[in-house]
Amino acid sequence: MNRVHLGVATKILIGAALAMAVLGCAERSLQRASGSGADMGEKHAVGAAPAAPSAATGNVWSSKMEEQKRTMEHATLGTGVQVSQTIDHRLKLEIPSDISFDTNRADIKPNFRPVLDRFATTLNNNPAATVTIIGHTDQSGSDAVNQPLSMERAAHTRDYLATQGVTASRIVVEGRGASEPLTSNDDNAGRARNRRVEIYVAEAAPPR
């Protein structure tokens, strides 16, 4: 009888040991799988870097862009329009209210038209270039008035260029209202300077 009990006990012990071994193997397998996944995730997070901008999203300062700059510098002499090359290789025209728009108005002034006429010619000579027009206001009115007014000024500028043969789909318009003043709005001179249109011309670099 003791031998029987001893045999049963032995079998129970052996079965328990086998079960523990199986459980241990399974736990180690899960840990390895879990650890591998964690490593992969960590490596992905650490190794991940912002995608470098492709050549197609960059700008190039081509000979045509340089020609546009020289042409607009000559065409705007004495008008107060500032012509420059930006750090990201765009042509920038900053057009003050003296020749662009009156207070609370989006109608293009007569003095602005010759500048836009010449500008349209340079754009038609460089069909690869795209244009962004940004309208700004002073702080004379509320945001509810200034925001749509700034957009309307940019849109009127685009529409005028379109009448001169520039494809409207090449032009993006934005309105910033009074959110980006160049100077204080405390006096008429400051408000006049803040009431402006900025035009940016970009030529995309060819894909590599």
Side-chain angles (χ1 to χ4, degrees):
M1 188 70 178
N2 290 335
R3 291 179 181 177
V4 172
H5 285 298
L6 180 61
V8 171
T10 300
K11 290 180 180 180
I12 291 173
L13 289 173
I14 292 173
L18 289 173
M20 290 178 65
V22 170
L23 288 173
C25 291
E27 183 178 358
R28 286 193 296 273
S29 297
L30 287 172
Q31 288 175 346
R32 285 196 298 271
S34 176
S36 175
D39 290 344
M40 289 177 63
E42 184 177 357
K43 289 177 182 177
H44 178 74
V46 172
S54 66
T57 61
N59 301 320
V60 61
W61 189 261
S62 66
S63 59
K64 287 186 176 181
M65 292 290 291
E66 181 62 30
E67 182 181 353
Q68 277 186 275
K69 181 175 180 289
R70 290 197 302 266
T71 299
M72 292 313 301
E73 286 173 337
H74 184 267
T76 58
L77 281 175
T79 65
V81 175
Q82 297 182 30
V83 182
S84 61
Q85 177 184 352
T86 66
I87 194 171
D88 59 346
H89 303 304
R90 293 186 295 170
L91 173 64
K92 178 183 177 181
L93 278 66
E94 186 175 304
I95 303 160
S97 63
D98 294 348
I99 66 168
S100 57
F101 302 101
D102 289 321
T103 303
N104 295 326
R105 302 285 297 181
D107 302 324
I108 293 174
K109 288 184 176 181
N111 289 345
F112 192 15
R113 293 172 186 168
V115 173
L116 291 178
D117 291 342
R118 197 71 188 92
F119 181 56
T121 299
T122 67
L123 290 176
N124 290 329
N125 290 336
N126 187 13
T130 57
V131 183
T132 300
I133 303 174
I134 304 175
H136 300 270
T137 69
D138 59 33
Q139 292 180 344
S140 297
S142 66
D143 289 342
V145 172
N146 289 333
Q147 182 60 37
L149 178 61
S150 64
M151 176 63 81
E152 192 175 0
R153 287 174 174 169
H156 279 200
T157 305
R158 174 201 58 199
D159 295 344
Y160 185 89
L161 291 172
T163 67
Q164 304 304 306
V166 181
T167 304
S169 60
R170 296 171 58 189
I171 305 173
V172 174
V173 295
E174 299 179 19
R176 302 282 174 85
S179 63
E180 298 179 3
L182 294 176
T183 186
S184 170
N185 284 280
D186 292 340
D187 53 39
N188 290 334
R191 288 190 290 272
R193 189 178 175 197
N194 293 330
R195 192 171 59 248
R196 70 198 187 278
V197 168
E198 294 172 339
I199 301 177
Y200 295 88
V201 183
E203 185 177 331
R208 294 177 182 176

